[in-house]
Amino acid sequence: MPSALPVGDAHPYLRAASAGVRHHARALTQQTAPTSADRVHLDVVHAHLTALHQLLDHLAEVTRPPNPAAGRHLATAHTRLWQSAAAVHDAFHLLPAVHETAPDTECHPERLPEGPPVLTICQRHLAASHLVRRKTTPSDLNTPLHGHTTSCSR
């Protein structure tokens, strides 16, 4: 869904990343034989989610002083994005590796079927979790999104 705001050359990398995600989602829905997610796919999605998580963290920090209400909404989005990244990380470990027959629920970055890349999903998840622990309470992480209202004013 395109934005109603003037775009110009503002944030070209974010626009390109969003376009890439939309293109990938369209391509998946247009496949004649649907395929399930694999570990490589979830690793890439997790990398995208953790990058968005870092971006939202920064935006919440700089928005909160001049606009506290908007900053709180961004902080809530930051928390929900972390919950999404954690769920993708958990799903990654529930998928069987190429050489396994049953899913492995333990985190073993050294046994990734793709080999140990420079930054595995588990290392990335651990690095992001340090940020979460510094800025989010456990009750915030476990609270579902209840009573969240947004008023859209034009």
Side-chain angles (χ1 to χ4, degrees), residues 8-154:
D9 285 337
H11 315 293
Y13 297 116
L14 283 175
R15 286 194 342 266
S18 297
V21 169
R22 283 191 306 271
H23 174 75
H24 186 72
R26 271 193 309 272
L28 285 176
T29 59
Q30 293 173 356
Q31 286 181 347
T32 56
T35 58
S36 89
D38 59 8
R39 283 187 161 196
V40 175
H41 198 182
L42 293 185
D43 184 37
V44 174
V45 170
H46 186 270
H48 190 76
L49 287 172
T50 53
L52 283 173
H53 182 258
Q54 289 176 333
L55 176 63
L56 271 177
D57 178 57
H58 176 72
L59 289 173
E61 286 296 315
V62 297
T63 302
R64 193 173 291 133
N67 301 300
R72 283 191 301 275
H73 280 284
L74 289 174
T76 299
H78 173 260
T79 301
R80 301 303 174 237
L81 197 54
W82 170 251
Q83 291 169 331
S84 297
V88 169
H89 178 254
D90 293 344
F92 175 91
H93 286 293
L94 292 175
L95 290 175
V98 175
H99 60 279
E100 294 176 352
T101 57
D104 184 8
T105 59
E106 296 296 316
C107 189
H108 299 286
E110 72 280 0
R111 292 187 354 208
L112 289 175
E114 306 80 32
V118 175
L119 186 65
T120 66
I121 188 171
C122 298
Q123 291 169 329
R124 185 185 323 109
H125 197 71
L126 182 61
S129 71
H130 290 297
L131 176 65
V132 170
R133 277 186 250 144
R134 281 196 324 263
K135 299 191 174 198
T136 312
T137 66
S139 64
D140 286 341
L141 290 174
N142 294 321
T143 302
L145 191 57
H146 291 299
H148 181 81
T149 59
T150 302
S151 60
C152 184
S153 58
R154 296 179 187 207

